Amino acid sequence: MTNEGVKAFYPEREQRGVDDIGCKVGFQQTGRSMAQVALAWLRHRTVPVIPIIGARKVSQLQDNLASLDMELSAEQLKSLDGASRIEPGFPQSIYDREMVRAIRYGGTWDRLLL
């Protein structure tokens, strides 16, 4: 199998060459700590999330609470959402292929009401 053929089995992130450095750019743009940006991002999620703050020092607690005053731009939110997206990987990547779907559902996939 050629190198190009093997790449079809890699997770989508590796196929596109995406790395999580884009997430750190958001931290650098705001000039705030990573904890503040992460907590502010959780506040803006459409699904309610209640973070557990694991501060052991008063300074850490103050740093975490400072995230309540922080607003993230739509571009920063999009960057953080993209960096945190989870790829289902194997075996889902196999099941998503048209040929496998045709075999698995006996050619009735397009008629299923999902």
Side-chain angles (χ1 to χ4, degrees), residues 1-105:
M1 198 175 245
T2 66
N3 241 2
E4 292 301 314
V6 172
K7 284 184 182 179
F9 292 98
Y10 288 170
E12 185 180 332
R13 271 194 169 161
E14 290 179 28
Q15 288 178 19
R16 293 181 308 185
V18 173
D19 60 343
D20 293 332
I21 305 252
C23 186
K24 292 183 181 178
V25 171
F27 303 128
Q28 294 168 351
Q29 288 174 352
T30 60
R32 303 278 194 113
S33 71
M34 286 187 171
Q36 288 178 13
V37 175
L39 290 169
W41 172 67
L42 287 176
R43 256 190 20 251
H44 289 90
R45 302 281 300 170
T46 55
V47 177
V49 176
I50 301 172
I52 298 173
I53 304 206
R56 289 191 281 169
K57 299 178 183 176
V58 174
S59 61
Q60 292 172 334
L61 179 63
Q62 290 170 340
D63 183 51
N64 290 339
L65 291 175
S67 69
L68 296 172
D69 300 331
M70 183 176 184
E71 292 297 325
L72 295 171
S73 69
E75 182 179 310
Q76 290 167 333
L77 290 171
K78 184 177 177 182
S79 172
L80 289 166
D81 287 339
S84 68
R85 191 178 65 159
I86 297 173
E87 300 293 330
F90 181 82
Q92 185 62 38
S93 59
I94 300 294
Y95 292 136
D96 286 342
R97 294 175 187 225
E98 188 65 36
M99 180 185 72
V100 174
R101 223 183 274 155
I103 294 169
R104 187 174 177 199
Y105 294 101

